[in-house]
Amino acid sequence: LAYRAVHADPAPGTADPAPGTAVLVQRLVDADAAGVLFTAADGAAARLEASWGLGEPVVRGLVTPDTWVPAPGGGLEHRAGDKRTRVDRAPGGTATTAVPLRDRARPCLDEVRVREVLALGEAVAAHLGGPQDVEFAVAAGRVWLLQARPVTAPLPPPGAAPGAAPGAAPGALLVGAAGSRGSAAGPARLVRSAADFPHVQPGDVLVCRETDPAWTPLFGVVAAVVTEVGGVLSHAAIVARERRLPAVLGVPGALGVLRDGQHLVVDGDAGTVRPA
């Protein structure tokens, strides 16, 4: 409802009808790996992010996923993620488990599967008539299309190096993934759970481990977003782009390095966070 209040634009002279609720019944694919693909748009290359198990950790920004971007000449640019947890089917629902150390930086998809997902995205975009935000799963050697919807806000240009190491000095430059364009300055507000919401003031820079869809109202208050984990195609990054909030994702140790109330400058184009 908070999202709709911002984006609903009824035709002049018409009432905006109350939204209905759809019930979707869909097969659960026991994914070996899953993720999100944004197809190419407005001259920007496609971008694919994936992690082990079901796609929830990628969508919710619970891990820093593997990333692939098509490169000029037909190659693929790959950046390894830090995939520390995975979600899988379990009795009565799902379960979150630790990913073995040897697999955290190992690519969760091989080049053949990546190219298959990219081709699927191109076909979906052509069929639906525009750039698409696609969710997919890979199970038993097969790629499954789970969902597609229009891309609602363009991706920032590629950039940003791996994040700064935990324990960096409070005055050091922190680097992550450029999640949403623009630059903003404000006091850091460290939020570890919903219990910290009352402390967030207009113009603060939200600093957190990850966000949850229930945190969406905060995006109407803060000036910028910094997360410790998550990718450019996560929920936090998408909402930040739609709200035109600068965002830097996947900054390891941000909650330990930054101080509550410390004035920061967040550059969502370069993927950097520095003291004001």
Side-chain angles (χ1 to χ4, degrees):
L1 291 174
Y3 183 94
R4 184 180 177 86
V6 172
H7 293 281
D9 186 20
T14 64
D16 188 19
T21 300
V23 178
L24 177 66
V25 180
Q26 184 174 4
R27 177 179 176 181
L28 174 63
V29 177
D30 285 314
D32 300 312
V36 179
L37 165 69
F38 269 38
T39 64
D42 300 325
R47 184 183 181 98
L48 187 158
E49 294 184 348
S51 189
W52 301 112
L54 299 176
E56 181 182 3
V58 177
V59 175
R60 290 184 56 192
L62 303 179
V63 297
T64 300
D66 291 333
T67 303
W68 290 267
V69 176
L76 287 173
E77 295 178 0
H78 171 243
R79 180 174 294 165
D82 185 16
K83 308 174 293 296
R84 299 192 176 200
T85 60
R86 62 181 290 162
V87 175
D88 296 280
R89 186 206 301 261
T94 59
T96 301
T97 58
V99 172
L101 187 61
R102 65 180 181 277
D103 292 332
R104 291 180 182 178
R106 182 169 69 86
C108 62
L109 300 175
D110 60 24
E111 183 175 338
V112 172
R113 290 289 169 259
V114 170
R115 293 191 181 279
E116 190 174 350
V117 173
L118 291 171
L120 174 63
E122 291 178 359
V124 172
H127 178 71
L128 296 178
Q132 296 294 306
D133 172 350
V134 174
E135 294 186 21
F136 67 91
V138 176
R142 178 180 176 184
V143 175
W144 296 78
L145 171 64
L146 305 180
Q147 172 182 299
R149 65 172 184 167
V151 171
T152 54
L155 290 170
L173 180 74
L174 299 180
V175 184
S180 181
R181 303 189 68 167
S183 179
R189 196 59 58 210
L190 276 53
V191 175
R192 293 178 171 82
S193 71
D196 295 325
F197 284 12
H199 304 300
V200 179
Q201 301 297 317
D204 283 350
V205 173
L206 173 64
V207 180
C208 55
R209 176 167 173 77
E210 73 265 348
T211 69
D212 183 273
W215 293 33
T216 300
L218 292 182
F219 286 66
V221 176
V222 299
V225 179
V226 178
T227 70
E228 288 191 327
V229 297
V232 175
L233 306 186
S234 66
H235 170 267
I238 292 171
V239 175
R241 289 193 291 274
E242 292 172 344
R243 292 294 189 97
R244 295 180 174 85
L245 292 175
V248 179
L249 292 304
V251 181
L255 284 169
V257 173
L258 302 175
R259 300 186 305 269
D260 199 63
Q262 179 184 7
H263 281 262
L264 305 173
V265 176
V266 178
D267 188 334
D269 293 286
T272 61
V273 183
R274 62 177 175 82

